[in-house]
Amino acid sequence: MSIEIASVTKSFGSHKALKDVSLSIPDGTFFVVLGPSGCGKSTLLRTIAGLEPIDSGEIALGGETVARDGYHLEPERRKTGVVFQSYALWPHMSVAANVAFPMETAGLKTADIKSRTNEHLATVELTAFRDRKPADLSGGQRQRVALARCLAQGAKTVLMDEPLANLDPHLRGAMEEELAAFHKASGATTLFITHDQREAMALADQVAVMWDGEILQVAEPDVLYRRPTSRRVAGFIGRSSLVGVEVNHVEAGYANVTLAAHRIDVDCPNDTRTGSATLMLRPEHLVPSVGGHGLKANVERTIYRGGFWEVFVAIEGLTEPLLMTLNRPAAPGETLFLDILRGWILPEQLAFSS
Ligand code: ADP
Ligand code: MG
């Protein structure tokens, strides 16, 4: 089912948790809402599930309006499966019975329930724990029971609120792959909420970046990384340096800019104009040049990141150091000559250009 959210607002007292939020999520999409803690992600998910009424706007699931102007369809009639950060399992039932429960309610055949319960338990690596009660499991194990139960529901729309947040790193990676495989197989529209950009990048068809009750940008992970529309998104996704440049001229698809007295070509939005602008440089855009040409840079400090070094380099004429990576250690004070391979002019700076 598609999910349509149009101009939804939601306040708690004087706090605006959702400020005019609009999102259009096509049927079958794995859609991730990414944002820092407290920005309104869970509130958004709860309004879609029907656990929270909205103040204004409209929500439609599969073309059917479920919330608008005082109209509020009950959660159990919205055909959505929900996995929460923390949630209740049936305490009196075993792990296997918890997973089987939604299939029993749906009236599946006993043999099918049995085999699918086994399948889902294997997926979340809980086969050995099938007869335990939830009270005798760790937090991460309970999380996995809830995920298995969600898989068993076979819901057309699955809403997940940071379901992997409490898992060990190795299990998290495995669960990411399971979720991606499950999504592909089931075709269920999935709305997945996280504060972890790495997780968002790994799972999403589309990512919405949320900040203080607002959606800042919606894009494919790769586009979000390469072409953020604002300083905030650039700063929240991956690592980057932001520097002031002069745009000299603009050609189809790229701009020639002056950065610390060097002229380079970088990517830019279509409507870029000449004048001052902000250039985003990802660490991989800066590489050591061949033959001692290029931008002269002085190593300020380095941090070992396992397999590579993050290096902050000072450039004459720039107030802030630029961040790059090297596959060898570099000593503070060392001189490097750099090529700048690309970069991206931030569109929001157009307002300040001449
Ligand atoms: P996130 O999931 O992104 O961490 P939430 O949606 O849980 O953020 O919360 C967004 C904001 O709304 C927070 O400031 C939170 O304190 C507030 N909030 C959420 N639920 C309630 C509530 N039931 N009553 C009052 N304030 C709430
Ligand atoms: Mg939350």
Side-chain angles (χ1 to χ4, degrees), residues 37-38 40-43 85 161-162 193:
S37 178
K41 303 182 297 296
S42 294
T43 303
Q85 216 165 351
D161 193 347
E162 313 220 21
I193 275 169

Side-chain angles (χ1 to χ4, degrees), residues 187-211:
T189 310
T190 305
L191 183 85
F192 184 99
I193 275 169
T194 181
H195 65 272
D196 182 340
Q197 53 153 310
R198 195 198 51 80
E199 208 165 88
M201 292 284 149
L203 287 169
D205 294 319
Q206 294 262 305
V207 182
V209 181
M210 195 168 180
W211 195 283

Side-chain angles (χ1 to χ4, degrees), residues 295-318:
L295 202 61
K296 192 174 171 193
N298 236 301
V299 174
E300 275 195 351
R301 59 200 161 90
T302 66
I303 307 166
Y304 185 52
R305 293 291 184 193
F308 67 94
W309 283 260
E310 271 180 7
V311 183
F312 289 89
V313 294
I315 312 279
E316 206 175 273
L318 295 186

Side-chain angles (χ1 to χ4, degrees), residues 159-206:
L159 309 175
M160 297 190 172
D161 193 347
E162 313 220 21
L164 310 182
N166 300 329
L167 301 185
D168 296 338
H170 88 277
L171 203 55
R172 197 189 282 201
M175 283 308 302
E176 280 170 8
E177 285 182 33
E178 289 300 341
L179 282 179
F182 168 70
H183 173 254
K184 208 172 241 169
S186 72
T189 310
T190 305
L191 183 85
F192 184 99
I193 275 169
T194 181
H195 65 272
D196 182 340
Q197 53 153 310
R198 195 198 51 80
E199 208 165 88
M201 292 284 149
L203 287 169
D205 294 319
Q206 294 262 305

Side-chain angles (χ1 to χ4, degrees), residues 270-321:
N270 286 333
D271 48 359
T272 303
R273 283 173 292 164
T274 55
S276 28
T278 300
L279 175 69
M280 176 194 76
L281 293 170
R282 295 292 189 192
E284 61 271 23
H285 292 149
L286 281 71
V287 296
S289 68
V290 186
H293 301 292
L295 202 61
K296 192 174 171 193
N298 236 301
V299 174
E300 275 195 351
R301 59 200 161 90
T302 66
I303 307 166
Y304 185 52
R305 293 291 184 193
F308 67 94
W309 283 260
E310 271 180 7
V311 183
F312 289 89
V313 294
I315 312 279
E316 206 175 273
L318 295 186
T319 50
E320 299 287 325

Side-chain angles (χ1 to χ4, degrees), residues 115-331:
S115 72
R116 279 167 64 176
T117 299
N118 291 342
E119 219 173 275
H120 297 314
L121 285 175
T123 298
V124 297
E125 296 183 26
L126 282 179
T127 305
F129 297 82
R130 57 177 304 128
D131 297 323
R132 288 219 195 161
K133 295 278 160 60
D136 304 325
L137 298 174
S138 73
Q141 288 163 342
R142 277 183 223 152
Q143 198 90 352
R144 282 143 64 193
V145 179
L147 280 168
R149 195 174 58 178
C150 182
L151 302 183
Q153 270 172 351
K156 293 242 170 63
T157 305
V158 182
L159 309 175
M160 297 190 172
D161 193 347
E162 313 220 21
L164 310 182
N166 300 329
L167 301 185
D168 296 338
H170 88 277
L171 203 55
R172 197 189 282 201
M175 283 308 302
E176 280 170 8
E177 285 182 33
E178 289 300 341
L179 282 179
F182 168 70
H183 173 254
K184 208 172 241 169
S186 72
T189 310
T190 305
L191 183 85
F192 184 99
I193 275 169
T194 181
H195 65 272
D196 182 340
Q197 53 153 310
R198 195 198 51 80
E199 208 165 88
M201 292 284 149
L203 287 169
D205 294 319
Q206 294 262 305
V207 182
V209 181
M210 195 168 180
W211 195 283
D212 193 20
E214 291 179 86
I215 303 294
L216 297 183
Q217 186 174 358
V218 183
E220 292 161 29
D222 176 49
V223 173
L224 208 57
Y225 184 81
R226 285 188 298 112
R227 309 201 145 196
T229 52
S230 62
R231 279 173 171 264
R232 199 154 260 165
V233 174
F236 193 66
I237 309 289
R239 312 217 49 194
S240 59
S241 311
L242 300 178
V243 279
V245 293
E246 270 310 289
V247 177
N248 303 313
H249 64 264
V250 182
E251 302 263 338
Y254 73 90
N256 180 266
V257 304
T258 300
L259 165 84
H262 275 253
R263 291 173 78 104
I264 54 169
D265 290 335
V266 296
D267 293 321
C268 66
N270 286 333
D271 48 359
T272 303
R273 283 173 292 164
T274 55
S276 28
T278 300
L279 175 69
M280 176 194 76
L281 293 170
R282 295 292 189 192
E284 61 271 23
H285 292 149
L286 281 71
V287 296
S289 68
V290 186
H293 301 292
L295 202 61
K296 192 174 171 193
N298 236 301
V299 174
E300 275 195 351
R301 59 200 161 90
T302 66
I303 307 166
Y304 185 52
R305 293 291 184 193
F308 67 94
W309 283 260
E310 271 180 7
V311 183
F312 289 89
V313 294
I315 312 279
E316 206 175 273
L318 295 186
T319 50
E320 299 287 325
L322 301 182
L323 174 65
M324 64 181 296
T325 58
L326 288 176
N327 56 10
R328 62 168 178 84

